[in-house]
PDB file of all heavy atoms in Angstrom:
ATOM      1  N   ASN B  32      53.297  62.384 -56.896  1.00 94.00           N
ATOM      2  CA  ASN B  32      52.414  62.665 -55.898  1.00 94.00           C
ATOM      3  C   ASN B  32      52.598  61.571 -54.714  1.00 94.00           C
ATOM      4  O   ASN B  32      52.787  60.552 -54.938  1.00 94.00           O
ATOM      5  CB  ASN B  32      51.132  62.432 -56.494  1.00 94.00           C
ATOM      6  CG  ASN B  32      50.713  63.517 -57.491  1.00 94.00           C
ATOM      7  OD1 ASN B  32      51.451  64.436 -57.669  1.00 94.00           O
ATOM      8  ND2 ASN B  32      49.470  63.417 -57.982  1.00 94.00           N
ATOM      9  N   TYR B  33      52.552  62.213 -53.454  1.00 95.00           N
ATOM     10  CA  TYR B  33      52.648  61.224 -52.398  1.00 95.00           C
ATOM     11  C   TYR B  33      51.511  61.380 -51.441  1.00 95.00           C
ATOM     12  O   TYR B  33      50.930  62.371 -51.290  1.00 95.00           O
ATOM     13  CB  TYR B  33      53.928  61.699 -51.603  1.00 95.00           C
ATOM     14  CG  TYR B  33      55.248  61.143 -52.104  1.00 95.00           C
ATOM     15  CD1 TYR B  33      56.029  61.930 -52.940  1.00 95.00           C
ATOM     16  CD2 TYR B  33      55.600  59.752 -51.806  1.00 95.00           C
ATOM     17  CE1 TYR B  33      57.208  61.408 -53.477  1.00 95.00           C
ATOM     18  CE2 TYR B  33      56.835  59.300 -52.351  1.00 95.00           C
ATOM     19  CZ  TYR B  33      57.623  60.140 -53.208  1.00 95.00           C
ATOM     20  OH  TYR B  33      58.790  59.592 -53.603  1.00 95.00           O
ATOM     21  N   LEU B  34      51.173  60.180 -50.814  1.00 96.00           N
ATOM     22  CA  LEU B  34      50.116  60.057 -49.785  1.00 96.00           C
ATOM     23  C   LEU B  34      50.847  59.426 -48.737  1.00 96.00           C
ATOM     24  O   LEU B  34      51.213  58.189 -48.779  1.00 96.00           O
ATOM     25  CB  LEU B  34      48.849  59.300 -50.200  1.00 96.00           C
ATOM     26  CG  LEU B  34      47.731  59.400 -49.399  1.00 96.00           C
ATOM     27  CD1 LEU B  34      46.484  58.846 -50.245  1.00 96.00           C
ATOM     28  CD2 LEU B  34      47.736  58.665 -48.139  1.00 96.00           C
ATOM     29  N   PHE B  35      51.039  60.055 -47.579  1.00 96.00           N
ATOM     30  CA  PHE B  35      51.820  59.597 -46.404  1.00 96.00           C
ATOM     31  C   PHE B  35      50.583  59.159 -45.350  1.00 96.00           C
ATOM     32  O   PHE B  35      49.890  59.980 -45.065  1.00 96.00           O
ATOM     33  CB  PHE B  35      52.733  60.492 -45.677  1.00 96.00           C
ATOM     34  CG  PHE B  35      54.114  60.596 -46.442  1.00 96.00           C
ATOM     35  CD1 PHE B  35      54.325  61.349 -47.480  1.00 96.00           C
ATOM     36  CD2 PHE B  35      55.094  59.791 -46.073  1.00 96.00           C
ATOM     37  CE1 PHE B  35      55.482  61.449 -48.138  1.00 96.00           C
ATOM     38  CE2 PHE B  35      56.320  59.775 -46.679  1.00 96.00           C
ATOM     39  CZ  PHE B  35      56.444  60.688 -47.777  1.00 96.00           C
ATOM     40  N   MET B  36      50.825  57.937 -45.042  1.00 96.00           N
ATOM     41  CA  MET B  36      49.540  57.340 -44.192  1.00 96.00           C
ATOM     42  C   MET B  36      49.874  57.452 -42.674  1.00 96.00           C
ATOM     43  O   MET B  36      49.342  56.538 -41.987  1.00 96.00           O
ATOM     44  CB  MET B  36      49.341  55.930 -44.494  1.00 96.00           C
ATOM     45  CG  MET B  36      48.863  55.969 -46.127  1.00 96.00           C
ATOM     46  SD  MET B  36      47.938  54.441 -46.515  1.00 96.00           S
ATOM     47  CE  MET B  36      49.407  53.344 -46.740  1.00 96.00           C
ATOM     48  N   GLY B  37      50.521  58.447 -42.213  1.00 96.00           N
ATOM     49  CA  GLY B  37      50.630  58.600 -40.720  1.00 96.00           C
ATOM     50  C   GLY B  37      51.772  58.173 -40.032  1.00 96.00           C
ATOM     51  O   GLY B  37      52.655  57.563 -40.744  1.00 96.00           O
ATOM     52  N   ASP B  38      51.812  58.331 -38.618  1.00 96.00           N
ATOM     53  CA  ASP B  38      52.886  57.894 -37.926  1.00 96.00           C
ATOM     54  C   ASP B  38      54.339  58.619 -38.372  1.00 96.00           C
ATOM     55  O   ASP B  38      55.192  57.884 -38.761  1.00 96.00           O
ATOM     56  CB  ASP B  38      53.195  56.381 -37.860  1.00 96.00           C
ATOM     57  CG  ASP B  38      52.290  55.841 -36.914  1.00 96.00           C
ATOM     58  OD1 ASP B  38      51.386  56.424 -36.366  1.00 96.00           O
ATOM     59  OD2 ASP B  38      52.367  54.491 -36.676  1.00 96.00           O
ATOM     60  N   PHE B  39      54.239  59.929 -38.318  1.00 95.00           N
ATOM     61  CA  PHE B  39      55.442  60.764 -38.925  1.00 95.00           C
ATOM     62  C   PHE B  39      56.517  60.914 -37.825  1.00 95.00           C
ATOM     63  O   PHE B  39      57.638  61.359 -38.012  1.00 95.00           O
ATOM     64  CB  PHE B  39      54.971  62.184 -39.261  1.00 95.00           C
ATOM     65  CG  PHE B  39      53.770  62.114 -40.231  1.00 95.00           C
ATOM     66  CD1 PHE B  39      52.543  62.691 -39.882  1.00 95.00           C
ATOM     67  CD2 PHE B  39      53.801  61.387 -41.481  1.00 95.00           C
ATOM     68  CE1 PHE B  39      51.459  62.543 -40.685  1.00 95.00           C
ATOM     69  CE2 PHE B  39      52.684  61.331 -42.371  1.00 95.00           C
ATOM     70  CZ  PHE B  39      51.404  61.886 -41.878  1.00 95.00           C
ATOM     71  N   VAL B  40      55.984  60.749 -36.554  1.00 94.00           N
ATOM     72  CA  VAL B  40      56.905  61.014 -35.474  1.00 94.00           C
ATOM     73  C   VAL B  40      57.035  59.738 -34.365  1.00 94.00           C
ATOM     74  O   VAL B  40      56.384  58.876 -34.642  1.00 94.00           O
ATOM     75  CB  VAL B  40      56.158  62.210 -34.651  1.00 94.00           C
ATOM     76  CG1 VAL B  40      56.398  63.492 -35.467  1.00 94.00           C
ATOM     77  CG2 VAL B  40      54.938  62.048 -34.041  1.00 94.00           C
ATOM     78  N   ASP B  41      57.903  59.943 -33.465  1.00 91.00           N
ATOM     79  CA  ASP B  41      58.233  59.038 -32.392  1.00 91.00           C
ATOM     80  C   ASP B  41      59.209  57.999 -32.690  1.00 91.00           C
ATOM     81  O   ASP B  41      59.386  57.717 -33.980  1.00 91.00           O
ATOM     82  CB  ASP B  41      56.711  58.323 -31.955  1.00 91.00           C
ATOM     83  CG  ASP B  41      56.117  59.260 -30.941  1.00 91.00           C
ATOM     84  OD1 ASP B  41      56.593  60.036 -30.421  1.00 91.00           O
ATOM     85  OD2 ASP B  41      54.846  58.988 -30.940  1.00 91.00           O
TER      86      ASP B  41
END
Side-chain angles (χ1 to χ4, degrees):
Chain B
N32 289 355
Y33 278 98
L34 195 165
F35 281 86
M36 295 194 285
D38 279 7
F39 313 117
V40 297
D41 285 334

